[in-house]
Amino acid sequence: GLKSLEQHREELLGNVSHDLKNPLTTIKAYLAMVGREKLGPLTDAQRRAVQICDRNSDRMLRMVNDLLLMSRLQSGKMQLHQRPFGIKAVAEEVLRALAALSEHSKVRLVIPPCPEVFVRGDRERISEAIHNLVENGIRHNLPDGGRWVRVISKTVGDQVEVVVTNTGPDMPPYEVESLFKPF
């Protein structure tokens, strides 16, 4: 009974995630058209509103993707696609994708000069992890000036370390304990 219930739950998560993505994709397409003024000129206030809606629809899309990812992880259906790639290149892509959010939040994104480090792994999953860390660094930064999020990749022995730091407050110890627990 429990196995059947678990299978139904996983199917439901997968179906709900898929069903939420379809209308969200349409919303994103229309927001892009409105933002590019394909449906008529916008006032500054309307442009800001469209940008806010676009950022939040991106956030919602990430949440739906996270729900789908969690469903795959819990069901054991997650497939990792191992191949070589450069960590610095992935970090640069993530920072470009978060440039609008960082600009809006007045947080500077930084990758100090460093050599490219190549690894073998699932590029998409690593990109998601870096994206989540940088986005959290942007969202939980200090309210004053001098705000930044920095991503550094370096070789430590035969491993690669990716360090994401920011000028925001440290996590309280009670949150660190549950950092890798779902929800």
Side-chain angles (χ1 to χ4, degrees):
L2 286 176
K3 200 169 203 165
S4 175
L5 182 62
E6 180 67 17
Q7 184 178 1
H8 286 350
R9 185 187 67 80
E10 291 165 8
E11 288 175 9
L12 177 65
L13 277 175
N15 290 337
V16 165
S17 299
H18 181 73
D19 289 346
L20 287 173
K21 276 180 109 170
N22 289 335
L24 194 51
T25 302
T26 304
I27 290 169
K28 294 269 313 148
Y30 275 101
L31 281 171
M33 285 175 32
V34 171
R36 288 191 309 264
E37 298 188 15
K38 298 288 184 187
L39 302 176
L42 298 174
T43 66
D44 288 342
Q46 290 169 331
R47 191 172 295 103
R48 280 190 300 278
V50 168
Q51 290 169 345
I52 290 168
C53 288
D54 191 48
R55 277 194 306 276
N56 281 291
S57 64
D58 284 341
R59 185 170 175 230
M60 188 180 298
L61 187 57
R62 280 192 306 279
M63 288 189 289
V64 170
N65 286 334
D66 288 349
L67 186 63
L68 192 54
L69 178 62
M70 187 172 299
S71 172
R72 287 184 192 139
L73 282 170
Q74 289 178 344
S75 69
K77 295 178 182 173
M78 170 61 72
Q79 293 184 352
L80 298 177
H81 303 287
Q82 303 265 339
R83 66 182 199 265
F85 63 92
I87 287 284
K88 183 179 176 185
V90 169
E92 288 169 342
E93 286 175 18
V94 168
L95 269 53
R96 279 193 299 273
L98 290 169
L101 177 62
S102 72
E103 185 178 312
H104 174 74
S105 302
K106 295 182 176 70
V107 174
R108 192 167 42 99
L109 300 179
V110 179
I111 296 180
C114 61
E116 180 64 273
V117 179
F118 291 92
V119 298
R120 181 172 178 78
D122 190 312
R123 190 177 198 284
E124 289 302 312
R125 301 293 80 80
I126 298 296
S127 178
E128 287 174 359
I130 295 171
H131 187 281
N132 289 339
L133 292 170
V134 172
E135 184 179 36
N136 282 339
I138 293 169
R139 292 188 187 285
H140 301 287
N141 221 299
L142 295 174
D144 303 9
R147 299 157 16 119
W148 51 262
V149 175
R150 180 176 53 216
V151 181
I152 299 172
S153 60
K154 58 186 175 181
T155 304
V156 179
D158 63 346
Q159 297 183 345
V160 173
E161 190 175 279
V162 177
V163 181
V164 179
T165 54
N166 65 68
T167 51
D170 291 339
M171 288 179 69
Y174 66 89
E175 285 185 15
V176 173
E177 293 172 13
S178 61
L179 186 62
F180 294 103
K181 294 179 181 172
F183 306 109

